[in-house]
Amino acid sequence: MGVQQTAPKKLLVVSGLAWLFDAMDVGLLAFVIAALKTEWQLTPGQMGWIGSVSSIGMAVGAIFFGILADRIGRKDVLIFTLLLFSVGAGLSAFATGYTIFLVIRFFVGAGLGGELPVASTLVSEQVAPEHRGRMVVLLESFWAGGWLLAAIIAYLVMPTWGWRVAVLGSALTALYALYLRYGLHEAPHASGQRQSVGQSLRQLWQPTYWRATLMLWIVWFMVVFSYYGMFLWLPSVMVLKGFTMINSFGYTLLMTIAQLPGYFVAAWLIEKWGRKSVLVWFLLGTAASAIAFGLANNTAMLLTAGSLLSFFNLGAWGALYAYSPEQYSAVIRASGSGIAAGVGRIGGILGPLLVGSLVAQGVSLPLIFGIFAGAIVIAVVAIITLGRETMGVPLE
């Protein structure tokens, strides 16, 4: 029973489809922001707040639902968070103004933020150590599929039918993943010991875990800060560089395709090089690509740098989701992963707001992307100095 109840491939597909639909909503948001700028006459600051309020919700959701998953079990929390996310996404299609749209996006973010670390924890607990990292990275690869679908919908649907139809469609597909979730099982030890919120927080900073906790909080903050700062603004940055909205959507679609090989290469390497090496090299590739994208001044350079940015950044994300649950024992595993992701979402709040503020002040794009590259380098230093290798280590 327990570990054997859900076959690894089924676990991957069922969890992955939900992850794909979540990513489709987040990806669509990047295109919706660009469309709302025109429809609602938004300022750069208001555009930044749309991305940031989603991250506020994700921060609250990651922390709250991560702790809850250690108390009542992974599966029930996954079902509830996906329901919260999908209903919220559907309601956002009917938003009549900027303020109500922000309120709804908070709850969408809470569902999404809670689901992602809990899903990776569930998968990591049910896969043999020699395949665990690869399986979690492959789970994360469904995120690229969701972004790819978002880019396709934005390119084919939004110009004709508008953003509301596109967002409503993504919400309906998420309900299908909710149906599939009922076929999941979890390891019986996952919620066997229950701790209070205070106990969980204190245990994260005990001598056994403090280095891992500090490392994860720094890395999650810097990675999420740079990711949401760069990728939620990607279509809008293309417009700022002189492309039409239709062309920017098309080019972003091409860049998004590069996410898939990034995940697959990271999945292949993570059981060969180890977690730390994959994270370090993929993050360094992200930093270099960010600088190149900011400096790009023609179509070929933009597409090349943007594709490399997608390749390295999303491969690093996959490795980080594999690495995080492996830092803790079962009793605080979801809490530790969820709180680290929640700290990261604070970076996701600041990233889009920073871009909006700097763009409004006329700061150059090379400098903006250089800031994100610097944040990634800080994450690399934290991994090298504080992280331990967990490849092949059985989970407690």
Side-chain angles (χ1 to χ4, degrees), residues 143-294:
W143 187 268
W147 263 85
L148 188 57
L149 282 176
I152 292 171
I153 291 170
Y155 188 63
L156 298 178
V157 175
M158 285 178 61
T160 303
W161 300 98
W163 65 270
R164 296 178 190 274
V165 173
V167 170
L168 185 60
S170 73
L172 294 175
T173 55
L175 291 175
Y176 172 66
L178 177 63
Y179 165 75
L180 292 178
R181 273 276 158 78
Y182 283 97
L184 285 180
H185 302 277
E186 61 182 305
H189 67 271
S191 57
Q193 295 175 272
R194 298 182 179 183
Q195 298 192 127
S196 68
V197 173
Q199 287 175 320
S200 296
L201 287 171
R202 286 193 296 273
Q203 193 163 350
L204 293 179
W205 291 99
Q206 292 299 310
T208 304
Y209 297 119
W210 77 265
R211 290 176 66 91
T213 298
L214 179 60
M215 181 270 297
L216 286 180
W217 285 22
I218 292 172
V219 175
W220 270 98
F221 181 91
M222 295 302 172
V223 168
V224 180
F225 168 75
S226 59
Y227 174 81
Y228 280 92
M230 293 187 292
F231 280 84
L232 275 185
W233 273 88
L234 204 56
S236 301
V237 166
M238 298 291 286
V239 173
L240 290 171
K241 284 181 173 284
F243 297 96
T244 66
M245 185 176 294
I246 297 299
N247 280 341
S248 74
F249 285 4
Y251 292 149
T252 304
L253 170 59
L254 293 176
M255 295 176 199
T256 303
I257 293 173
Q259 294 181 12
L260 281 169
Y263 281 123
F264 296 148
V265 172
W268 180 66
L269 291 175
I270 199 164
E271 302 296 359
K272 296 180 180 295
W273 289 3
R275 281 58 162 151
K276 286 184 64 174
S277 294
V278 170
L279 265 173
V280 165
W281 285 108
F282 273 70
L283 286 174
L284 288 175
T286 299
S289 302
I291 293 173
F293 187 84

Side-chain angles (χ1 to χ4, degrees), residues 2-338:
V3 173
Q4 301 301 320
Q5 287 181 327
T6 304
K9 289 183 179 178
K10 179 181 178 182
L11 182 67
L12 176 64
V13 172
V14 172
S15 301
L17 281 175
W19 208 306
L20 181 146
F21 296 135
D22 292 348
M24 186 165 62
D25 176 80
V26 174
L28 276 175
L29 183 61
F31 300 100
V32 168
I33 289 173
L36 289 180
K37 177 183 185 297
T38 302
E39 182 174 332
W40 290 347
Q41 300 297 304
L42 301 181
T43 65
Q46 289 175 315
M47 293 167 67
W49 265 109
I50 293 176
S52 293
V53 79
S54 296
S55 289
I56 293 172
M58 291 179 79
V60 172
I63 295 171
F64 175 77
F65 290 116
I67 293 172
L68 189 65
D70 279 332
R71 294 178 63 81
I72 69 172
R74 303 358 176 178
K75 178 185 170 182
D76 289 343
V77 171
L78 284 173
I79 291 172
F80 181 79
T81 53
L82 186 58
L83 182 62
L84 176 63
F85 154 78
S86 59
V87 171
L91 289 175
S92 70
F94 300 98
T96 55
Y98 176 71
T99 302
I100 188 64
F101 188 79
L102 287 183
V103 172
I104 294 172
R105 289 305 311 184
F106 170 84
F107 288 101
V108 173
L112 178 64
E115 180 184 350
L116 299 180
V118 176
S120 60
T121 298
L122 175 65
V123 172
S124 68
E125 288 175 336
Q126 298 200 44
V127 179
E130 63 269 20
H131 304 299
R132 185 176 63 227
R134 180 169 295 130
M135 190 68 73
V136 176
V137 178
L138 289 175
L139 169 66
E140 172 73 357
S141 73
F142 281 83
W143 187 268
W147 263 85
L148 188 57
L149 282 176
I152 292 171
I153 291 170
Y155 188 63
L156 298 178
V157 175
M158 285 178 61
T160 303
W161 300 98
W163 65 270
R164 296 178 190 274
V165 173
V167 170
L168 185 60
S170 73
L172 294 175
T173 55
L175 291 175
Y176 172 66
L178 177 63
Y179 165 75
L180 292 178
R181 273 276 158 78
Y182 283 97
L184 285 180
H185 302 277
E186 61 182 305
H189 67 271
S191 57
Q193 295 175 272
R194 298 182 179 183
Q195 298 192 127
S196 68
V197 173
Q199 287 175 320
S200 296
L201 287 171
R202 286 193 296 273
Q203 193 163 350
L204 293 179
W205 291 99
Q206 292 299 310
T208 304
Y209 297 119
W210 77 265
R211 290 176 66 91
T213 298
L214 179 60
M215 181 270 297
L216 286 180
W217 285 22
I218 292 172
V219 175
W220 270 98
F221 181 91
M222 295 302 172
V223 168
V224 180
F225 168 75
S226 59
Y227 174 81
Y228 280 92
M230 293 187 292
F231 280 84
L232 275 185
W233 273 88
L234 204 56
S236 301
V237 166
M238 298 291 286
V239 173
L240 290 171
K241 284 181 173 284
F243 297 96
T244 66
M245 185 176 294
I246 297 299
N247 280 341
S248 74
F249 285 4
Y251 292 149
T252 304
L253 170 59
L254 293 176
M255 295 176 199
T256 303
I257 293 173
Q259 294 181 12
L260 281 169
Y263 281 123
F264 296 148
V265 172
W268 180 66
L269 291 175
I270 199 164
E271 302 296 359
K272 296 180 180 295
W273 289 3
R275 281 58 162 151
K276 286 184 64 174
S277 294
V278 170
L279 265 173
V280 165
W281 285 108
F282 273 70
L283 286 174
L284 288 175
T286 299
S289 302
I291 293 173
F293 187 84
L295 293 171
N297 55 16
N298 60 58
T299 303
M301 289 180 64
L302 277 171
L303 289 177
T304 301
S307 297
L308 289 172
L309 185 63
S310 292
F311 176 92
F312 285 113
N313 190 262
L314 276 299
W317 268 94
L320 183 56
Y321 268 109
Y323 194 41
S324 298
E326 296 176 343
Q327 305 301 313
Y328 302 106
S329 62
V331 68
I332 58 166
R333 184 168 297 128
S335 298
S337 298

